[in-house]
Amino acid sequence: MTPDRAELTALLSQQWDAIAALVTDLPEDRWRTPSALPGWTVFDVVAHVTGTESWLLGDQPPAHDPMRPKTDVRTLPHVRNEIAVLNEIWIDRLRPLSGARLLELFGEVTDRRRKALAEMDTEAWTVPTQSPIGQVPYGRFMRVRLFDCWMHELDLADALGVAVEEGGKRGAVAFEEFLVSVPRAVGKLGKAPDGSRILFELTGPHARSLRVQVAGRAGYVDSFDEPPTVQIRVDSRLFVRLGGGRTTTDAHPDAIEITGDTELGNRLVRSLAFTL
């Protein structure tokens, strides 16, 4: 189902404002604080969002400064596909800017995106578009964009050591997009055997019960006919960071409670990194 255009564009606009708020008046040295993402600083996270939204406007990355060493981004260990190559090119080309100038550019680009989205008609919102999750209606692609930007808000907050509101409408819609990939992580990455019944009990801002059953392939179900094979209790804030590859279970030894088939449970929580 294609998300409501007015609601989602408003949430995207709020999301960009939330990112800007985290780095407004940030001292220049703090812009270069490492984030949880391999090779990326706070500056790089904002540059990535700026570059992606620029690309959606049809912009090209700035020309390479011949006075700077040229980086072959394809050789970076965390670059695994063509989307990652484009991400790194944008970041590399924007790195010579100061943090203050990057924030100005981010504001200019997101204002142009707000205008473009406001002018988009229903036909354009529903047209099939290539996205990181395959070809989907443009509006669904924008829900993926909301999730990506929301995750990067969390990256910035974690790097800077500040707390942000992870619930609310923005967080709820972004988290729903995140949850789409959980069954795949269970079946393909975690290799849960056929017949497995996995119950995730999430606490925190996105508290809920998730029931995933493997019957040929893994998928959500409303209920189990038998007791769960394994039950995993974890805070939704940690759950999303594990899914994003931002941290590992070893860094939080007492934060995850597993009952039932503990071998399967441990394998599953170690296999959740599906968005990095």
Side-chain angles (χ1 to χ4, degrees), residues 88-167:
E88 294 294 338
I89 289 173
W90 271 101
I91 292 169
D92 182 68
R93 302 291 173 80
L94 294 175
R95 278 192 180 119
L97 302 179
S98 67
R101 174 58 191 133
L102 177 63
L103 181 57
E104 288 179 0
L105 180 60
F106 176 79
E108 293 164 8
V109 168
T110 52
D111 281 349
R112 289 169 57 206
R113 284 282 288 141
R114 288 182 178 98
K115 184 175 185 293
L117 289 169
E119 294 173 350
M120 185 171 284
D121 60 21
T122 301
E123 183 179 357
W125 187 251
T126 57
V127 70
T129 305
Q130 194 59 37
S131 80
I133 60 169
Q135 193 170 75
V136 294
Y138 188 87
R140 174 65 197 289
F141 182 17
M142 291 305 97
R143 193 173 87 155
V144 176
R145 287 301 308 135
L146 177 67
F147 163 68
D148 185 66
C149 292
W150 178 71
M151 281 292 296
H152 290 315
E153 177 193 356
L154 304 186
D155 292 332
L156 294 169
D158 290 350
L160 296 170
V162 299
V164 293
E165 172 56 58
E166 297 193 26

Side-chain angles (χ1 to χ4, degrees), residues 6 14 75 124 141:
Q14 294 166 20
T75 66
F141 182 17

Side-chain angles (χ1 to χ4, degrees), residues 154-201:
L154 304 186
D155 292 332
L156 294 169
D158 290 350
L160 296 170
V162 299
V164 293
E165 172 56 58
E166 297 193 26
K169 185 63 176 178
R170 275 191 300 112
V173 174
F175 195 71
E176 287 298 327
E177 182 62 41
F178 169 84
L179 292 180
V180 170
S181 297
V182 169
R184 175 181 174 274
V186 166
K188 186 171 183 179
L189 303 179
K191 302 187 186 309
D194 199 53
S196 298
R197 299 170 301 283
I198 299 94
L199 174 61
F200 291 98
E201 288 287 5

Side-chain angles (χ1 to χ4, degrees), residues 233-235 238 248-258:
R233 183 177 177 85
V234 59
D235 190 293
L238 176 56
T248 65
T249 57
D250 291 342
H252 307 273
D254 301 319
I256 303 171
E257 180 183 328
I258 299 174

Side-chain angles (χ1 to χ4, degrees), residues 3 6 8-9 12 36 132 150 201 212 217 234 263 269 276:
L8 190 53
T9 53
L12 267 170
W150 178 71
E201 288 287 5
V212 179
R217 61 185 298 178
V234 59
E263 180 182 353
V269 295
L276 184 63

